[in-house]
Amino acid sequence: MASQISRIMRPDDANVAGNVHGGTILKMIEEAGAIISTRHCNSQNGERCVAALARVERTDFLSPMCIGEVAHVSAEITYTSKHSVEVQVNVMSENILTGTKKLTNKATLWYVPLSLKNVDKVLEVPPVVYSRQEQEEEGRKRYEAQKLERMETKWRNGDIVQPVPNPEPNTVSYSQSSLIHLVGPSDCTLHGFVHGGVTMKLMDEVAGIVAARHCKTNIVTASVDAINFHDKIRKGCVITISGRMTFTSNKSMEIEVLVDADPVVDNSQKRYRAASAFFTYVSLSQEGKSLPVPQLVPETEDEKKRFEEGKGRYLQMKAKRQGPAEPQP
């Protein structure tokens, strides 16, 4: 099963560098995934449901998209477990003047079907038919891996970002930023819960502010590590999206983004962690060339620990990009 959505990129989709905002692309990716997974989960007779985003795997921004180009977002279901759907999404940009097309993004998303009668009830997913047995086995491995990581990350980011008076440049406190947003009807599905794409766009905006404050140049999203959605966000909640820099290499910055929801109209529920992720940004000159990044100065023991963890993720991903080493004769 496959699906595609397309739309032209307008000036209000641009970031300050003039390219399409990374958060806009993330939102389109989520919309395509939600359409195909909801359609699939309602393909058989039974209780009707809506597919809710549970996790986004690492997403790389392979090439910038420009204003005036057409974004083609194609989605395909690649695996189903008893209660979840894996969707793989590709984003192509098309210059409609020249006909040139290029791949800009690839992403993998996981959805769970929630009953329309009771949104806290997770329904069973209709199975897909695989053309090869290996496809099912490979999908099961991906499912087990993401399930384990979700459990590990749910409580890893329990702390909150606190402001520090008069911070020094290049420190974590100097660039950390927060955005407070009241969840309104336009942010939500028909059932009163925030679209995953809306949350991802807000997270990308905060990460971009942190990156710009740190290096004071044009910045662009290079990649997003796995985004985990720990709990649903209801209409009427006040959400706080906080970002802090965790690691810098010579030419990239890793930013941790946390989303906390405060159900101000419901006294029975306390503030809770709704989502978390790591974003990677790069610094660009006015000509679009990569620039060196000012090195982060971790001060506290927690900041030093997060820096080393970020360095480990950076080196692991660098090794994965370079591929296995050639055997020595």
Side-chain angles (χ1 to χ4, degrees):
M1 180 182 289
S3 178
Q4 179 171 307
I5 59 174
S6 302
R7 79 171 178 87
I8 194 166
M9 297 293 98
R10 304 181 301 270
D12 57 351
D13 295 316
N15 57 22
V16 293
N19 297 320
V20 175
H21 197 294
T24 298
I25 296 173
L26 289 172
K27 188 176 179 182
M28 289 191 295
I29 287 173
E30 196 279 328
E31 288 173 353
I35 290 170
I36 193 171
S37 52
T38 298
R39 184 180 289 155
H40 175 76
C41 291
N42 289 281
S43 60
Q44 296 182 358
N45 292 330
E47 193 170 343
R48 294 306 172 194
C49 62
V50 61
L53 182 63
R55 175 178 166 90
V56 181
E57 302 288 359
R58 180 182 172 89
T59 303
D60 289 303
F61 288 72
L62 306 173
S63 179
M65 189 179 298
C66 301
I67 303 307
E69 292 183 331
V70 175
H72 301 285
V73 187
S74 58
E76 181 181 9
I77 292 176
T78 48
Y79 178 76
T80 57
S81 69
K82 185 177 181 180
H83 295 294
S84 64
V85 182
E86 181 192 51
V87 180
Q88 292 191 0
V89 179
N90 288 338
V91 183
M92 300 285 296
S93 66
E94 178 191 6
N95 184 321
I96 53 178
L97 301 180
T98 64
T100 304
K101 292 184 178 180
K102 58 185 177 182
L103 180 67
T104 63
N105 297 81
K106 297 177 72 174
T108 301
L109 305 91
W110 292 89
Y111 289 83
V112 293
L114 304 179
S115 167
L116 293 183
K117 297 178 181 178
N118 177 8
V119 291
D120 292 321
K121 179 183 177 182
V122 179
L123 301 180
E124 292 191 12
V125 176
V128 294
V129 178
Y130 303 96
S131 58
R132 295 181 294 106
Q133 185 178 355
E134 292 82 0
Q135 288 179 316
E136 184 175 10
E137 293 172 354
E138 291 165 0
R140 186 181 295 111
K141 290 178 182 177
R142 294 192 300 271
Y143 167 74
E144 294 296 340
Q146 66 85 25
K147 185 177 179 181
L148 179 62
E149 187 172 336
R150 273 180 58 78
M151 293 174 64
E152 291 175 348
T153 59
K154 185 167 185 178
W155 304 113
R156 185 177 65 193
N157 301 320
D159 58 336
I160 59 176
V161 178
Q162 298 285 2
V164 174
N166 304 316
E168 293 293 323
N170 299 336
T171 62
V172 175
S173 302
Y174 184 80
S175 59
Q176 69 181 27
S177 305
S178 295
L179 184 154
I180 298 174
H181 179 76
L182 174 63
V183 175
S186 63
D187 300 318
C188 298
T189 66
L190 296 174
H191 312 97
F193 293 95
V194 176
H195 284 287
V198 170
T199 305
M200 290 195 293
K201 185 173 182 180
L202 291 170
M203 294 172 81
D204 184 68
E205 286 179 4
V206 170
I209 293 170
V210 173
R213 280 181 166 171
H214 180 75
C215 57
K216 302 189 186 316
T217 60
N218 288 334
I219 46 88
V220 293
T221 314
S223 65
V224 184
D225 208 342
I227 303 176
N228 288 296
F229 292 83
H230 307 303
D231 210 337
K232 299 184 291 294
I233 303 173
R234 297 177 185 272
K235 181 173 64 177
C237 281
V238 173
I239 55 174
T240 302
I241 306 98
S242 304
R244 61 186 171 200
M245 194 158 296
T246 49
F247 170 75
T248 53
S249 66
N250 289 334
K251 291 190 176 180
S252 67
M253 300 162 275
E254 182 191 72
I255 296 140
E256 181 181 33
V257 181
L258 311 172
V259 180
D260 294 306
D262 187 2
V264 291
V265 296
D266 183 2
N267 294 329
S268 65
Q269 191 174 11
K270 296 181 179 179
R271 180 185 176 110
Y272 60 93
R273 176 64 39 84
S276 58
F278 290 98
F279 287 70
T280 300
Y281 273 75
V282 293
S283 173
L284 299 178
S285 67
Q286 296 291 340
E287 294 75 33
K289 303 292 185 180
S290 178
L291 292 175
V293 170
Q295 291 305 289
L296 182 66
V297 181
E299 298 175 298
T300 69
E301 288 304 314
D302 283 344
E303 289 171 359
K304 292 175 183 177
K305 180 182 178 183
R306 286 193 290 267
F307 186 91
E308 290 302 317
E309 291 173 346
K311 183 178 180 180
R313 286 186 291 271
Y314 167 77
L315 293 175
Q316 184 179 29
M317 189 51 57
K318 186 177 180 181
K320 188 179 293 186
R321 285 198 303 266
Q322 292 174 344
E326 292 292 329
Q328 296 298 321

